[in-house]
Amino acid sequence: MRNVLVIALVLMALTGLGASAGRFEPPSLVKAFIDVQYGKAGDTPLLLDIVEPGIRTSDKPLPLVVWIHGGGWRGGDKSNNPADWMADKGYVVASIDYRLSDAATFPAQIYDCKAAIRFLRANAKRYGIDSKRIGVWGGSAGGHLVALLGTSGGVKELEGNCGSPGYSSRVQAVCDFFGPADLTVIGSVTRLAPNPVAQLLGGPVAEKRELAKQASPVTYVSKDDPPFLIVHGDKDQLVRSLRAKSCIPR
C-alpha cells in the first residue's frame, strides 16, 4: 500500500496538484456517482464511476485522476479502484469500464478510453473538474491503455465515435504500472495461454503485425507527449519485455 501511496503522490505532482483495492467503496466525505454512462458502443452502454470531495472550500475546479484497470484486456472492471481515496485529498477521481477482448478486438479498448476522457472533459463543469489537468493511471493492460492515451493524442484513427464529439481526448500526465509498450514484441514472447495479445488483436502477432504496431504506445512517441511515470519490476516475468526506455523519444 505504501508503494501505491508514493506513486499516487507522484501522479498528483504530474497533474499540477497542490490533493484500496477491492470492491468499490467511496471513501468518507466524498460524493459518488456510480455507473455513469459516458458513451455507447452499438447497444453496449459504456460506464464509469466518479468520486469527488463532498465538501469543497472553494468553487475552483479540481484536477482529475482517471484509473484504468488491468486484466489482460479480457478481465477486470472499474470497481477495483486503488485511486478512490484521493477524493478525500481534494481530487476528482474516475474509474472506467471498457470493452474487453472477448466482446471486441482492438481498437475498441482505446476508443472507449478516449470516449471516457472526452465525456469527462465535456462534463467538467458538472463534476467540478479542471479540464486542463487530467492525469491517467493504470496497471498491466490498464498501463498499456494509459500509455497509449498519453502518446496517441491527436491520432484520429484511434479516436472512435463512442461519445462526446468535439472534445479533446488528450491527457496531461500518465502513470503507467508495468504496461506493455510494444505489442509486436510482447505478443510474440508471452507464455500465457491463451495469448492475451492475440485475443486483443483477433489473431497472432505474426498475422496482425500492423494492428499490433497500431496498438503499441511506442509507435506514437513524440516530444509533445505529456510527462510519464513508468513503474516496472526488473524481475517481472509476465510483462518482461517492457523497458522504461521504450517510451523515451528517440
Side-chain angles (χ1 to χ4, degrees), residues 87 109 137 206 225 236 238:
Q109 294 71 27
W137 179 18
D225 289 341
D236 189 333
L238 188 60

Side-chain angles (χ1 to χ4, degrees), residues 123-137:
N123 290 275
K125 186 174 182 179
R126 176 179 179 183
Y127 296 109
I129 295 168
D130 184 341
S131 63
K132 296 180 180 180
R133 291 196 288 171
I134 297 177
V136 289
W137 179 18

Side-chain angles (χ1 to χ4, degrees), residues 136-148:
V136 289
W137 179 18
S140 191
H144 160 261
L145 291 169
V146 298
L148 194 54

Side-chain angles (χ1 to χ4, degrees), residues 17-126:
L17 282 46
S20 55
R23 292 299 297 178
F24 176 76
E25 294 182 7
S28 60
L29 300 177
V30 302
K31 187 186 300 182
F33 304 87
I34 309 302
D35 291 338
V36 177
Q37 183 170 328
Y38 68 83
K40 198 171 184 180
D43 294 328
T44 303
L46 303 171
L47 306 177
L48 55 76
D49 297 337
I50 300 171
V51 289
E52 60 175 285
I55 300 174
R56 297 198 183 209
T57 57
S58 75
D59 294 331
K60 185 178 179 179
L62 301 175
L64 169 69
V65 174
V66 181
W67 168 256
I68 301 180
H69 71 81
W73 305 283
R74 59 192 178 193
D77 62 61
K78 61 183 173 59
S79 65
N80 295 310
N81 178 8
D84 56 17
W85 63 271
M86 294 168 67
D88 254 345
K89 305 299 181 180
Y91 306 90
V92 181
V93 180
S95 179
I96 74 170
D97 276 341
Y98 52 88
R99 282 172 286 171
L100 301 178
S101 58
D102 62 349
T105 55
F106 187 87
Q109 294 71 27
I110 194 64
Y111 283 173
D112 297 352
C113 292
K114 286 179 177 272
I117 299 298
R118 290 196 302 267
F119 171 86
L120 290 162
R121 188 164 270 125
N123 290 275
K125 186 174 182 179
R126 176 179 179 183

